[in-house]
Amino acid sequence: MKTTGKKSFSIHFWKSISSLIFQILLISLFIQTPASSQIEGRKTIKIPDILGYQTLKCDFHIHTVFSDGEVWPHVRAEEIWLEGLDAFSITDHIEYLPHKSDLQIDFNRSFELAEQRARELDLIIIKGAEITREMPPGHFNSLFLTDVSALDQPEVAQAFEASVQQEAFIFWNHPGWRQPNEVPIWYDEHTQLYQQKIMQGIEVVNYKSYYPLAFQWALEKKLTIICNSDIHSPIQMAYDLAHGEHRPMTLVFSSERSAAGIKAALINRRTVAYFNDLLIGEEKYLKALFEASVTVLNPEITFSQAKWQPLFIKNNSEIPFKLVRLSEPEPPFQSPPELTLEPERTMRFPVEGKTDGLTGDKTLTLKYRVENLLIAPEQGLPVEFKIKAIFE
Amino acid sequence: MKTTGKKSFSIHFWKSISSLIFQILLISLFIQTPASSQIEGRKTIKIPDILGYQTLKCDFHIHTVFSDGEVWPHVRAEEIWLEGLDAFSITDHIEYLPHKSDLQIDFNRSFELAEQRARELDLIIIKGAEITREMPPGHFNSLFLTDVSALDQPEVAQAFEASVQQEAFIFWNHPGWRQPNEVPIWYDEHTQLYQQKIMQGIEVVNYKSYYPLAFQWALEKKLTIICNSDIHSPIQMAYDLAHGEHRPMTLVFSSERSAAGIKAALINRRTVAYFNDLLIGEEKYLKALFEASVTVLNPEITFSQAKWQPLFIKNNSEIPFKLVRLSEPEPPFQSPPELTLEPERTMRFPVEGKTDGLTGDKTLTLKYRVENLLIAPEQGLPVEFKIKAIFE
Amino acid sequence: MKTTGKKSFSIHFWKSISSLIFQILLISLFIQTPASSQIEGRKTIKIPDILGYQTLKCDFHIHTVFSDGEVWPHVRAEEIWLEGLDAFSITDHIEYLPHKSDLQIDFNRSFELAEQRARELDLIIIKGAEITREMPPGHFNSLFLTDVSALDQPEVAQAFEASVQQEAFIFWNHPGWRQPNEVPIWYDEHTQLYQQKIMQGIEVVNYKSYYPLAFQWALEKKLTIICNSDIHSPIQMAYDLAHGEHRPMTLVFSSERSAAGIKAALINRRTVAYFNDLLIGEEKYLKALFEASVTVLNPEITFSQAKWQPLFIKNNSEIPFKLVRLSEPEPPFQSPPELTLEPERTMRFPVEGKTDGLTGDKTLTLKYRVENLLIAPEQGLPVEFKIKAIFE
Amino acid sequence: MKTTGKKSFSIHFWKSISSLIFQILLISLFIQTPASSQIEGRKTIKIPDILGYQTLKCDFHIHTVFSDGEVWPHVRAEEIWLEGLDAFSITDHIEYLPHKSDLQIDFNRSFELAEQRARELDLIIIKGAEITREMPPGHFNSLFLTDVSALDQPEVAQAFEASVQQEAFIFWNHPGWRQPNEVPIWYDEHTQLYQQKIMQGIEVVNYKSYYPLAFQWALEKKLTIICNSDIHSPIQMAYDLAHGEHRPMTLVFSSERSAAGIKAALINRRTVAYFNDLLIGEEKYLKALFEASVTVLNPEITFSQAKWQPLFIKNNSEIPFKLVRLSEPEPPFQSPPELTLEPERTMRFPVEGKTDGLTGDKTLTLKYRVENLLIAPEQGLPVEFKIKAIFE
């Protein structure tokens, strides 16, 4: 129940010392053994703030044993803290309660049990629930609730109404789930929820699935882009955090670090989905994230002979950017067909400038597309670097 | 001389294809998305069988939400499977039930909920419970129970009696817990339990603590050596499995892979504690484990000039063995003061044999002590390698 | 120049001990510090022997400072040993010697300098060289030479002739190198070398490039499939060995662990290319490697209700096998569209058998294709698992 | 709720497409293969600037094939760049030249060959050499030379004189090397070199050895503290960079990022040794490094009930700080006996403040010693945190 600490503790110790002193020390050593069970600390998610907003890292879809999840609620606060997120919502199912023969069901209870730990850890916790119906309309999360039990209604319309009365923010969960080939279908019921402004957002990513069609709808219909883990198991059974994997999360660009700030940002669609190495969202946000993350260290390059010069690009974020050349630069320049900007690394790339007879300065414009920053389904963000090329 | 780069496979792909084909393919791609949530498979714990027994890897002290643990019971079966163990026991507290306002308490329920998953995964699950009293006598695990609820008694003596009636195997848990400086104290109550043969084993290791004094008692009093995780959280919040850490476990030398085999082995004290890189137990078992793991690849070495020759030693196990020289070999030989045998690696060490005027064969005996195989408190296992040295 | 060892050595030690004893111990401790510079041991490459042959792991294309490489020759032996390979050939360029103003050029010297270390480490070293000409015919490696300097000739034909006189085994290196889009071109010169049986093999993989067309030629023209690193830098600047990456290597199925055995195997085309997670070669070898690596642990499955049963498949090798379903099994069965067999893991997959009214046994045949075992360009190895399904 | 699995992207792809399109695409894919050989980028060493100086990371003791090293000189520049250092010196031996039968010896050549790459990579390269004599006086590095060959002299005194004439900075290398038990001995020769101000610094760390006595001498005699790799092999054969190990380096507190700035800092002893997790140096520098790295996130803590409150401490550096409590805080407070501040993590620790009858504010002073910041041999840096405790 307690810890000893370093593994190799005893090893060196025992070597060369006489037995008597040994025993004395042995006792004094073990006397020192401190109590602790925390094995590691809170990570910092390295994604910059942009456009005057704080970039809050949020997961709005999480389960516990109070519906069909596998952990006690306060574990969810611990996980969120360790992984470096700012805000989360436990959204246990209203209508699906497989543990109800073991657990007294109180729809507000999982929030209560997680809330104290969340406060202690300075995390934002948002009361929520998952309305869980057959498709259509399927599953929806209601956030910013005050009383979850009011959503326990015979008819789905009543559940939505109870949500609206509590001024909830409501989004459609995993729209492709159990649809043929996981392709989402937009039913009349969704048109109705959309036109009544009940449904304000849509999960473009849920757990390990990305729905390009949901992304397209989000852009066309101005729905808020949402990206969640929908985690049921302990988080580390689903994501290899120790090797740098992260849960899917919604980046929320908020004017303050608070639930109110998040709610305002969600309503105003200031979000980006962060899924594996993909960022999915509107061009203005992806462009700002890229520019705040990436720096050309040598924006002036001198070409004195007909050869390659190195271009140094630093990526301060934890996201690897994968750039593909959109077009060859104009003569006399050549640049690589691909640039991969590893996270928290400075990369070096060869740039050619043929110097035959040239003198003076020229502007070299490098045009690339960032393949993993999606501004539309499978459409990468275009970016440019402008280099001052000096010929001697 | 050039790169393809498996990872960037898709990236290249999108580059050169016309938009139309692209869209068609895109759809077909996402159509294929299969359902799955399992992220990795079952590890094999690389520790050899010895002395005609199977070496079963067991954890006999585990909690769930049904006492003060943090996960639903079937999660424990999943964890045990992934980590490569053979057997486990869920041992929720009888007397400490912090979730009882939320959970209907049935003392047999956590076993029931884990049992089906355990069978499906071909794991041995043993019904158990933790008798949880103030010190003395402290906490005890009863294993191989048939009805846990019979242990819910006002007096601790009654709980032991109910265990004995069910022919349980009973051991003392974390004997140093909450004692001054974590040093265990043997009270009269323990003498009584010991003399009545109620207490048959003792945890020499619990969670992150090793109790040298408990080990000494186990050797002197012929108590079974036990090593458990006492895990409350999801396992990966306590152990960094992804980087090769493992939970504390009891190695049980069993004539068959069954609960009955384990029970017989426990009664006959055929166990070793496996904690971090330490093996703790009787010399006969540690010696057998070492010899079944380690091979000298070149037991004949030819010294033709006055110089070092390499000695190659292979370690097939997952345990790093840390050897310290007990004494210098006899002239004309010299050997390194330390040998570290990395897990699943062949190591090379320099051995010197001065050849001045020598011819013929000589036996080189290397005497070391394995610092992390403890045959008594802080006493490493002595080992010898015999090398045939040939002088030319 | 010497080592102290464990980092945390001092930390715990200093804590609670009086200054006097401390100083005494301090001295005795530092006295123990051993000398060593080797940081890790030799890995075992986990790929099974097949068809009565030993599977030798070989790299036949390696450079040193004696042509345009970056390390002293004996480093190559150390690298090969650490990585677990059995055999290698240093193949410095004959015609390209950028360090010749610093180094006295002796074409046999890099072999000499590596040979002693190779013997000490029980590695097979094969004398070789790279004939380095403009395309056509390009670059060729000659192996099993006795005198490299005889290949230093004005005309490429003379270099080939000198090789043939030494009974060399000759293969075409990186056939796509510097060709448009890296696609190899077969010139008349190659036809001539092929018809004269001078060219007996071809690099299907070189460094980070795989040439599908070269693979197709190898199959059609019965050329030996070769896969090499062509390493110039220290190996760990090119491959992340610490995270499990490996250099490209040729698996040679040899009747003995010797240069002669390798030569016979090369002549008889008993090879497979091992590149990242890909195995590339003839179906008979890939099938044997798969079958020697993979085991179904439960070849009999009982379906007692209409639900999924787990299928357990163990992969003993270090290669992850990626299987895609070729066709759905016959009713009443269903199996997953994909199976990924992680290296050295047991995986679990759901198999469905609808039991409506069924009793007795049925054979369930699972038909998959192993996507990363290529028996022809981009054609995976077909495999079948036969399961006895028992309905109760 | 479903998976896509980035990795298996290509796999899915091939499944559903007709063979014809497949072949066409296949060709286009392989056509795209780009050229690249750089596998990763430059790391940033996360150690803060202090006291108005830049913290430059330097290695002043490095070998190449031009003495007894194993790599070509430009490799050293590549290694330094990847690892994130700012400055290095190649210091090949003057008197020990094992490759001289193969290499034309020119003492300035290894610098020349590394210099171009160093400039290209924006690294500071300092011309140096190792005077290599029997003990006493042993080995010495001369830095900031203009002509290394002038040091090639019959007598060691002449070599020193040639160094002094070039205004070199000279330090004693690995003073414990080949001394009994690696304990350095200060000979008359050293007194002489010291009194003549020829020897200005001393290696407190060399390769894998730390010499506490050399550290003591440095403090007492005001010699500059130096810490170097003395690397002979490729760097990754000695240090597991991929898992976060780093070479020993000297942290130089310099007013500018230049060779001149480094020289001034060395002369003025503005250095700290950085070896594994140890920082070794004068208290003023270690204190500044600690304070610039570590922040208490909640310097005000409210105790409203008699229980533990969390203290959050953030470590922005890459160095794990290991703190041991110097004394218990005054009543009513208790704090943990140890605090480990993991690199780039926020840690949480329990702090107890018994609230019986207390109101108002109190100052809680936490007194610890940082075990791995050595301000004298085996003496950790004392640090204090002041917390405002508010009782309600």
Side-chain angles (χ1 to χ4, degrees), chain A residues 293-308:
Chain A
S293 301
V294 169
T295 315
V296 173
L297 298 188
N298 57 337
E300 292 192 11
I301 300 179
T302 300
F303 294 93
S304 53
Q305 300 162 14
K307 60 185 256 295
W308 298 100

Side-chain angles (χ1 to χ4, degrees), chain C residues 14-291:
Chain C
W14 317 127
K15 279 188 290 196
S16 57
I17 315 171
S18 79
S19 168
L20 186 68
I21 296 181
F22 191 154
Q23 289 303 324
I24 296 163
L25 291 174
L26 183 63
I27 290 160
S28 65
L29 267 165
F30 280 94
I31 283 171
Q32 297 298 323
T33 310
S36 161
S37 69
Q38 218 53 44
I39 60 155
E40 55 169 60
R42 173 170 163 88
K43 182 193 163 186
T44 299
I45 298 174
K46 283 169 184 155
I47 298 180
D49 292 339
I50 56 167
L51 304 173
Y53 297 111
Q54 290 184 54
T55 300
L56 301 182
K57 292 88 186 180
C58 308
D59 186 356
F60 300 123
H61 194 164
I62 294 175
H63 294 276
T64 77
V65 294
F66 281 81
S67 62
D68 58 345
E70 300 186 324
V71 303
W72 202 251
H74 71 243
V75 173
R76 295 310 188 192
E78 291 287 338
E79 291 173 341
I80 288 287
W81 185 79
L82 283 168
E83 296 168 67
L85 280 80
D86 297 285
F88 71 110
S89 183
I90 290 177
T91 53
D92 279 314
H93 300 287
I94 302 287
E95 296 88 350
Y96 180 57
L97 301 166
H99 302 158
K100 70 183 163 194
S101 61
D102 293 297
L103 270 164
Q104 325 265 12
I105 294 307
D106 169 349
F107 291 107
N108 293 299
R109 185 64 175 150
S110 55
F111 175 84
E112 276 173 36
L113 287 166
E115 190 186 18
Q116 185 185 343
R117 192 68 61 96
R119 288 192 198 289
E120 198 177 292
L121 295 168
D122 191 25
L123 300 172
I124 301 165
I125 181 168
I126 293 160
K127 192 180 265 197
E130 183 166 14
I131 299 166
T132 310
R133 305 283 174 150
E134 293 296 305
M135 186 74 82
H139 298 191
F140 289 77
N141 271 5
S142 281
L143 305 185
F144 308 102
L145 296 176
T146 50
D147 177 18
V148 179
S149 56
L151 277 63
D152 182 27
Q153 300 288 348
E155 297 301 319
V156 65
Q158 296 169 297
F160 282 120
E161 185 167 328
S163 298
V164 169
Q165 280 173 359
Q166 296 181 43
E167 299 183 27
F169 179 88
I170 301 170
F171 59 88
W172 185 8
N173 295 344
H174 43 76
W177 185 55
R178 290 196 180 163
Q179 301 305 298
N181 303 313
E182 274 215 281
V183 176
I185 298 172
W186 184 280
Y187 293 90
D188 290 348
E189 283 82 350
H190 300 115
T191 299
Q192 201 177 336
L193 289 166
Y194 173 65
Q195 287 176 345
Q196 295 173 346
K197 299 189 192 306
I198 289 171
M199 172 172 71
Q200 296 163 273
I202 187 166
E203 280 187 345
V204 163
V205 173
N206 175 285
Y207 193 38
K208 304 200 173 186
S209 290
Y210 156 48
Y211 306 102
L213 193 52
F215 180 26
Q216 193 166 320
W217 291 340
L219 293 174
E220 288 170 4
K221 296 173 194 291
K222 302 207 176 300
L223 289 165
T224 303
I225 289 165
I226 304 284
C227 174
N228 292 325
S229 73
D230 196 2
I231 187 71
H232 288 69
S233 69
I235 192 75
Q236 293 185 93
M237 292 189 92
Y239 300 101
D240 189 358
L241 305 181
H243 287 116
E245 280 189 20
H246 64 88
R247 71 167 78 201
M249 63 187 80
T250 308
L251 305 180
V252 174
F253 308 109
S254 177
S255 53
E256 60 176 44
R257 193 175 183 282
S258 71
I262 290 170
K263 189 170 184 181
L266 289 178
I267 290 168
N268 290 287
R269 299 184 298 111
R270 294 197 304 268
T271 64
V272 158
Y274 179 35
F275 173 55
N276 295 334
D277 293 343
L278 290 177
L279 292 181
I280 303 164
E282 286 187 72
E283 180 163 3
K284 64 183 168 186
Y285 298 124
L286 296 191
K287 189 173 166 64
L289 287 167
F290 183 81
E291 289 177 353

Side-chain angles (χ1 to χ4, degrees), chain A residues 325-331 333-337 364-367:
Chain A
R325 194 176 55 205
L326 275 173
S327 58
E328 275 277 16
E330 290 188 17
F333 299 109
Q334 286 185 33
S335 72
L364 159 57
T365 305
L366 299 172
K367 297 182 182 181

Side-chain angles (χ1 to χ4, degrees), chain B residues 33-226:
Chain B
T33 311
S36 161
S37 71
Q38 220 50 47
I39 62 156
E40 55 169 58
R42 174 171 163 88
K43 180 191 164 185
T44 298
I45 297 174
K46 284 169 183 154
I47 298 181
D49 293 338
I50 56 167
L51 304 173
Y53 297 112
Q54 291 184 53
T55 299
L56 301 183
K57 292 88 185 180
C58 308
D59 187 354
F60 299 123
H61 194 163
I62 293 175
H63 294 277
T64 76
V65 293
F66 281 81
S67 61
D68 59 343
E70 298 186 325
V71 304
W72 202 251
H74 70 244
V75 172
R76 296 310 188 193
E78 291 286 339
E79 291 173 343
I80 288 288
W81 185 79
L82 283 168
E83 294 169 66
L85 280 81
D86 297 286
F88 70 110
S89 183
I90 291 178
T91 54
D92 279 314
H93 300 288
I94 302 287
E95 298 87 350
Y96 181 56
L97 301 166
H99 302 159
K100 69 183 162 193
S101 61
D102 291 298
L103 270 164
Q104 324 266 12
I105 293 306
D106 169 349
F107 291 107
N108 293 299
R109 185 65 175 150
S110 56
F111 176 84
E112 276 172 36
L113 286 167
E115 190 186 17
Q116 185 186 342
R117 192 69 61 95
R119 287 193 198 291
E120 198 177 291
L121 295 168
D122 193 25
L123 301 171
I124 301 166
I125 181 168
I126 293 161
K127 191 181 267 196
E130 183 166 15
I131 298 167
T132 310
R133 305 281 175 151
E134 293 296 304
M135 185 74 84
H139 298 192
F140 288 78
N141 272 4
S142 281
L143 305 184
F144 308 103
L145 296 175
T146 50
D147 177 18
V148 179
S149 56
L151 275 64
D152 182 26
Q153 299 289 348
E155 296 301 318
V156 66
Q158 296 170 298
F160 282 121
E161 185 167 328
S163 297
V164 170
Q165 279 172 359
Q166 296 181 42
E167 299 183 25
F169 180 89
I170 300 171
F171 59 86
W172 185 8
N173 295 344
H174 43 77
W177 184 55
R178 292 197 179 162
Q179 301 304 299
N181 303 313
E182 274 213 285
V183 175
I185 299 172
W186 183 280
Y187 292 90
D188 290 348
E189 285 81 349
H190 300 114
T191 300
Q192 201 177 337
L193 289 167
Y194 173 65
Q195 287 177 345
Q196 293 174 346
K197 299 190 192 307
I198 289 170
M199 173 172 71
Q200 295 163 275
I202 187 166
E203 280 187 347
V204 163
V205 172
N206 175 285
Y207 192 40
K208 304 201 173 185
S209 291
Y210 155 50
Y211 307 103
L213 194 52
F215 180 27
Q216 193 166 321
W217 291 340
L219 292 175
E220 288 172 3
K221 297 172 195 289
K222 302 207 176 300
L223 289 164
T224 303
I225 289 164
I226 305 284

Side-chain angles (χ1 to χ4, degrees), chain B residues 277-310:
Chain B
D277 293 343
L278 290 177
L279 292 180
I280 304 164
E282 287 187 72
E283 181 163 3
K284 63 183 168 187
Y285 298 124
L286 297 190
K287 191 173 165 62
L289 286 168
F290 183 80
E291 289 178 353
S293 302
V294 169
T295 315
V296 173
L297 297 188
N298 57 338
E300 293 192 11
I301 299 178
T302 300
F303 293 92
S304 54
Q305 301 163 14
K307 62 184 253 310
W308 299 100
Q309 291 295 327

Side-chain angles (χ1 to χ4, degrees), chain C residues 304-348:
Chain C
S304 53
Q305 301 162 14
K307 58 186 255 311
W308 297 99
Q309 291 295 327
L311 174 71
F312 294 98
I313 307 182
K314 187 170 187 176
N315 175 4
N316 284 311
S317 80
E318 68 173 44
I319 303 160
F321 297 108
K322 294 168 188 170
L323 283 68
V324 172
R325 195 176 56 204
L326 276 172
S327 58
E328 274 277 16
E330 291 188 16
F333 299 109
Q334 287 185 32
S335 73
E338 296 192 349
L339 311 176
T340 297
L341 308 180
E342 295 291 348
E344 298 191 76
R345 285 285 182 280
T346 298
M347 306 302 287
R348 166 183 40 160

Side-chain angles (χ1 to χ4, degrees), chain D residues 51-110:
Chain D
L51 304 173
Y53 297 111
Q54 291 184 53
T55 299
L56 301 182
K57 293 86 186 180
C58 309
D59 186 354
F60 301 122
H61 194 162
I62 295 175
H63 294 276
T64 76
V65 294
F66 280 82
S67 62
D68 59 344
E70 300 186 324
V71 304
W72 202 251
H74 71 243
V75 173
R76 296 311 188 190
E78 291 286 339
E79 292 174 341
I80 288 288
W81 185 79
L82 283 168
E83 295 169 68
L85 281 80
D86 297 286
F88 70 109
S89 182
I90 291 177
T91 53
D92 279 316
H93 300 286
I94 301 287
E95 297 87 351
Y96 181 56
L97 301 166
H99 302 159
K100 70 183 163 193
S101 62
D102 292 297
L103 270 164
Q104 323 267 11
I105 294 306
D106 168 350
F107 291 107
N108 293 300
R109 185 65 175 149
S110 55

